[in-house]
Amino acid sequence: MGSLLGDWPSYDPHNFSQLRPADPSAQPSKLTPATYHPTHNRTLPPPNQVISTEARNILLRHFYQKSEEKLPPKRAASDHPTSEHNCKQPRAAYADGAH
Amino acid sequence: MFRSTNVAARVFERQILTPRPGATINLVRHFYENLVPSCTICDIDCPDHSFRKITDDGRYLVSFSRNLQDIIVYRPTWLSFSFKGGNFDYQSLTQKAKKFDSFFTQLYSVSLGSSSEFICKDFFLYLEDHQFGLFATSTAQSHEVPAIEGAIHGVPSIEKITFHLVRLKDGVVMDEKSFCNDFVNLAHSMGVFLYEDLLCIMSLRYQTIHILQVRDSGNLVDVRNIGSFCLEDDELFLNSHAQCMTVLNKSKPVGNVHESANGIHHQQVAQASAFLTGIKQRLLSFIFRKAWSEEADPILRVQHLKKKFYFHFQDYVDLIMWKAQFLDRHHLLIKFGSVDGGVSRSTDQHPAFFAVYNMETTEIIAFYQNSSEELYSLFEQFYDHFHANSRESVHANFISSHSNNIHALEQLWSMKNKQSSFSQFVKKMMTSVPYTCQSQSPSPYFDVSLFRYDEKLISSTDRHRHSTDHPIKFISRRQPNVLKFKIKPGLETSGAEARTKKICSFLFHPHLPMALSIQQTYMQPTVVNLHLRIWMELEVVVIPVRMFWIEGLALRG
């Protein structure tokens, strides 16, 4: 019969006898859908890309982001040693100003 | 979204409907609109125990004996009844249905307390993966305590607090952990936070956060203590420094080093007390650096520092940790406040602060006052992350909050608009942070998208409430005027009895349409009611219709 419902059991043998595929020549399994290929490779992911879930949840990410905005990261001790000494010199002046 | 409200139609529709990704549970929950605990068995004849909680996976009902010495664990089951032939004996069904034993089977009774230690009946935490329960026993609280080194003044002391880890399947006590002469806030499990297998115990008296891990074998293992010291080797460094000093000054006596069960070394060497505690040092340095970086100009910076930091220095030093919770495995959210601020409800006189602390790097990441609008905006958007639910806990992820439910969010906004002062509103909302874990029931009847109910009379938070004589109504959210079911917490009372104050608490089963309401009246026996759904009508309807289903589908198609 060629019906999609095949030979499933039914209490009335005349059920599904009227069903016919609309176009007998078109075999759905033989049709291949059109394939689209990209004409550029701008949107290719980098070859070593691995997508994974961020371990830190979004609330913590917000806390870290806000703290990075407010507090610049600490400079390493080796950078700008002279400026450290400069910080020490005006202290005496401030102490005078405070009292 | 189901097209019909009829339960049979919904069952058929569920067979062909694909829910939206990640929202299967939200869709399936709609069946709870049809299956409601509408029948009440008043004053069910049950043993006189103090019922604490039905665990979040619905496997155990945990209760304590009246003398607070034993734990009694029941298995919630469901009444099953079958009959043959035409004559259905409704009477015998109702007789069986009115018994407590038809719904709860006692598994065992285990004694945890002793003559001096009593089980804390407000404390219970459940580890779902291993089916372990954490209980606490304590001796009496004493307020008159001598001030000793390391302990802060103004906090009461309990001679001994013991945490017991019990395997709920058979009642075997796996491990115990004791704290002596300490104070942990055991009421409603507020001083302890459980996240996956990590426990965070806030010792108020010694200002230490104890992090413990619950192993698969059932052992409670110390991970770290945060308070006096932050890094594991801080103590070693300070001790070696102190010993060097005493070697040089031989005239000074070396202090006693004695270890108590808390694992804290009380040293009476003068140098140790000259240092602020490790956590306090981290906090003060964070506040200093923040104030420092706020102003670029060096002269204005000093003025800014004076105003923001030095002026309040002693207030910051006097802050104590009140409550802590995990935000994830490495981060803690700690609430700081003044010594007398923890117990008072008013938020005006006693400012509170919140700090986010990274346990691995021992750094403070953020520090906010409780009136901070920035913190409030995070609270409004990401409240679910304050709950710190691990990914495995399915039920807890679907508890309605204003971050995952539009109706709850609208309620929050309407509260915000009603308040005259925004900072007062923010402070009020911040009292719910840090979150108390396992304090909300995952029952779908509290899902705000399904039902509307009076939050003052009943809610997912397991707190005692004043009970009213009127039944508590659960109205369908989707059909605004349809009453779905009512919960009547007590017996019919006459006028005289109605004046006495009654306190009611509710225990909802996480997935069965069953709830216990426990009403306590002063000087009168406790009344326990069982609210449930009687299933009879459903089976009769569904079965005959199914036989015609396949034909019906084909004819339509």
Side-chain angles (χ1 to χ4, degrees):
Chain A
M1 195 172 58
S3 131
L4 283 168
L5 290 166
D7 303 316
W8 287 11
S10 171
Y11 73 95
D12 182 350
H14 295 296
N15 276 344
F16 314 126
S17 55
Q18 302 298 319
L19 279 172
R20 294 268 183 276
D23 185 1
S25 60
Q27 298 289 330
S29 53
K30 297 254 174 79
L31 274 174
T32 49
T35 325
Y36 292 91
H37 297 279
T39 53
H40 61 85
N41 60 356
R42 290 194 297 271
T43 48
L44 277 180
N48 54 353
Q49 181 184 68
V50 174
I51 298 177
S52 60
T53 313
E54 164 97 31
R56 218 175 258 171
N57 68 44
I58 191 166
L59 178 65
L60 281 167
R61 262 183 275 153
H62 273 266
F63 282 130
Y64 274 93
Q65 190 184 23
K66 287 197 193 324
S67 81
E68 263 153 44
E69 282 166 23
K70 287 180 197 164
L71 280 172
K74 291 184 204 165
R75 291 176 307 186
S78 55
D79 298 343
H80 313 291
T82 49
S83 62
E84 301 285 3
H85 291 300
N86 285 340
C87 287
K88 287 187 181 170
Q89 282 165 13
R91 267 187 74 162
Y94 290 146
D96 292 334
H99 295 301
Chain B
M1 199 68 80
F2 289 117
R3 278 180 291 170
S4 160
T5 53
N6 175 277
V7 63
R10 282 180 166 183
V11 168
F12 297 139
E13 213 182 323
R14 185 177 62 172
Q15 291 175 88
I16 53 174
L17 196 63
T18 310
R20 287 183 212 134
T24 315
I25 291 184
N26 299 81
L27 183 74
V28 169
R29 273 193 164 190
H30 289 164
F31 279 101
Y32 285 96
E33 287 178 337
N34 302 96
L35 304 170
V36 292
S38 44
C39 305
T40 304
I41 301 169
C42 287
D43 201 9
I44 196 168
D45 189 18
C46 67
D48 185 30
H49 298 315
S50 164
F51 296 106
R52 177 67 186 91
K53 196 170 171 131
I54 301 180
T55 55
D56 283 351
D57 52 8
R59 287 199 179 109
Y60 305 101
L61 167 65
V62 170
S63 60
F64 305 122
S65 60
R66 277 289 161 209
N67 59 3
L68 297 178
Q69 295 284 313
D70 307 319
I71 55 168
I72 304 110
V73 176
Y74 294 88
R75 168 90 58 196
T77 54
W78 198 264
L79 179 66
S80 58
F81 189 84
S82 61
F83 70 96
K84 199 172 165 184
N87 292 330
F88 171 46
D89 189 1
Y90 189 72
Q91 287 303 316
S92 71
L93 171 63
T94 50
Q95 284 308 310
K96 267 200 202 168
K98 287 203 165 91
K99 285 206 223 137
F100 185 79
D101 301 327
S102 305
F103 297 96
F104 297 98
T105 325
Q106 179 167 332
L107 293 178
Y108 52 81
S109 169
V110 171
S111 175
L112 286 184
S114 63
S115 55
S116 56
E117 283 190 54
F118 297 96
I119 299 175
C120 177
K121 71 172 171 158
D122 279 335
F123 185 91
F124 172 68
L125 287 176
Y126 182 61
L127 284 90
E128 207 173 306
D129 302 335
H130 305 103
Q131 295 178 36
F132 289 150
L134 192 71
F135 298 91
T137 58
S138 69
T139 54
Q141 212 178 44
S142 68
H143 290 266
E144 311 297 323
V145 276
I148 65 168
E149 181 75 35
I152 53 162
H153 212 54
V155 174
S157 166
I158 298 178
E159 199 188 312
K160 191 172 181 205
I161 301 173
T162 312
F163 291 101
H164 304 260
L165 190 71
V166 178
R167 188 169 56 199
L168 288 181
K169 233 184 324 198
D170 44 20
V172 171
V173 179
M174 308 297 292
D175 201 354
E176 286 174 8
K177 180 94 183 147
S178 293
F179 294 84
C180 292
N181 295 317
D182 202 341
F183 186 77
V184 178
N185 196 354
L186 295 171
H188 298 283
S189 321
M190 287 210 295
V192 181
F193 197 90
L194 177 71
Y195 177 72
E196 292 177 358
D197 58 343
L198 292 176
L199 271 174
C200 154
I201 300 176
M202 179 79 235
S203 153
L204 284 173
R205 194 144 185 262
Y206 295 109
Q207 284 296 293
T208 308
I209 299 175
H210 298 267
I211 310 286
L212 284 86
Q213 188 179 20
V214 181
R215 292 277 202 213
D216 293 343
S217 56
N219 290 358
L220 288 169
V221 173
D222 280 322
V223 174
R224 51 165 59 94
N225 292 337
I226 301 161
S228 316
F229 308 108
C230 292
L231 287 166
E232 285 93 11
D233 50 359
D234 281 350
E235 198 178 352
L236 180 67
F237 178 79
L238 283 172
N239 281 355
S240 62
H241 175 79
Q243 278 175 15
C244 282
M245 294 300 288
T246 52
V247 161
L248 291 172
N249 309 336
K250 284 211 176 105
S251 54
K252 282 206 186 128
V254 178
N256 308 341
V257 179
H258 57 92
E259 194 176 318
S260 71
N262 314 34
I264 293 175
H265 297 265
H266 298 293
Q267 262 195 318
Q268 282 155 17
V269 182
Q271 285 91 333
S273 60
F275 288 114
L276 289 171
T277 58
I279 186 81
K280 199 58 71 62
Q281 296 206 15
R282 293 283 192 276
L283 184 66
L284 289 169
S285 59
F286 178 83
I287 301 170
F288 178 85
R289 280 173 52 224
K290 194 167 96 159
W292 177 272
S293 62
E294 271 166 9
E295 192 60 62
D297 179 61
I299 298 166
L300 288 174
R301 180 186 281 166
V302 172
Q303 296 303 321
H304 189 71
L305 270 175
K306 266 200 253 179
K307 197 171 69 166
K308 283 275 159 118
F309 182 68
Y310 292 108
F311 188 67
H312 299 287
F313 184 80
Q314 196 53 46
D315 295 330
Y316 287 135
V317 168
D318 292 338
L319 284 177
I320 61 163
M321 297 193 281
W322 268 113
K323 203 172 164 188
Q325 69 157 100
F326 284 106
L327 289 176
D328 73 355
R329 285 186 85 87
H330 305 295
H331 295 86
L332 287 173
L333 177 72
I334 308 171
K335 179 175 173 183
F336 285 89
S338 57
V339 177
D340 41 350
V343 289
S344 85
R345 293 256 169 214
S346 120
T347 43
D348 283 336
Q349 295 95 339
H350 307 288
F353 299 90
F354 297 97
V356 177
Y357 176 73
N358 183 330
M359 295 193 287
E360 302 294 320
T361 62
T362 69
E363 275 178 9
I364 300 265
I365 310 299
F367 183 72
Y368 297 102
Q369 195 168 353
N370 64 343
S371 52
S372 159
E373 289 184 21
E374 207 175 280
L375 185 62
Y376 173 74
S377 75
L378 291 174
F379 167 86
E380 198 182 88
Q381 291 170 49
F382 307 119
Y383 186 56
D384 287 347
H385 293 279
F386 284 102
H387 286 200
N389 296 320
S390 58
R391 270 170 255 246
E392 291 88 40
S393 157
V394 178
H395 334 276
N397 287 332
F398 290 89
I399 295 176
S400 288
S401 77
H402 58 258
S403 296
N404 64 25
N405 195 297
I406 186 71
H407 305 284
L409 185 62
E410 278 172 0
Q411 249 175 340
L412 180 74
W413 283 345
S414 73
M415 264 168 57
K416 184 163 72 167
N417 295 333
K418 274 189 209 158
Q419 291 279 336
S420 48
S421 154
F422 184 59
S423 76
Q424 287 298 338
F425 172 72
V426 167
K427 283 187 192 175
K428 190 171 140 198
M429 289 296 117
M430 286 298 127
T431 53
S432 62
V433 169
Y435 184 66
T436 308
C437 72
Q438 297 186 12
S439 62
Q440 287 188 300
S441 164
S443 168
Y445 297 109
F446 293 121
D447 191 335
V448 187
S449 328
L450 298 176
F451 299 103
R452 212 159 37 90
Y453 48 88
D454 189 342
E455 297 247 349
K456 291 191 202 70
L457 297 177
I458 193 170
S459 85
S460 56
T461 320
D462 61 355
R463 288 265 174 174
H464 295 289
R465 284 150 215 285
H466 292 295
S467 100
T468 61
D469 290 328
H470 308 290
I472 302 168
K473 295 185 189 169
F474 283 72
I475 301 167
S476 161
R477 181 67 74 170
R478 228 178 306 278
Q479 303 158 288
N481 296 322
V482 172
L483 171 71
K484 283 291 175 178
F485 67 101
K486 288 191 270 202
I487 298 244
K488 188 151 174 49
L491 301 172
E492 295 290 331
T493 53
S494 62
E497 285 175 25
R499 264 180 258 128
T500 55
K501 264 195 179 169
K502 291 186 202 102
I503 295 177
C504 202
S505 61
F506 299 94
L507 296 179
F508 273 73
H509 194 280
H511 50 82
L512 291 175
M514 175 162 79
L516 282 170
S517 66
I518 301 142
Q519 192 179 48
Q520 287 160 313
T521 318
Y522 182 65
M523 295 293 274
Q524 278 179 42
T526 309
V527 170
V528 177
N529 308 310
L530 183 65
H531 310 271
L532 66 150
R533 154 89 184 174
I534 301 291
W535 294 83
M536 286 188 321
E537 302 92 55
L538 180 62
E539 277 105 340
V540 174
V541 166
V542 174
I543 295 164
V545 181
R546 278 182 76 81
M547 287 193 271
F548 299 92
W549 175 245
I550 297 172
E551 261 73 8
L553 171 63
L555 287 167
R556 249 185 263 150

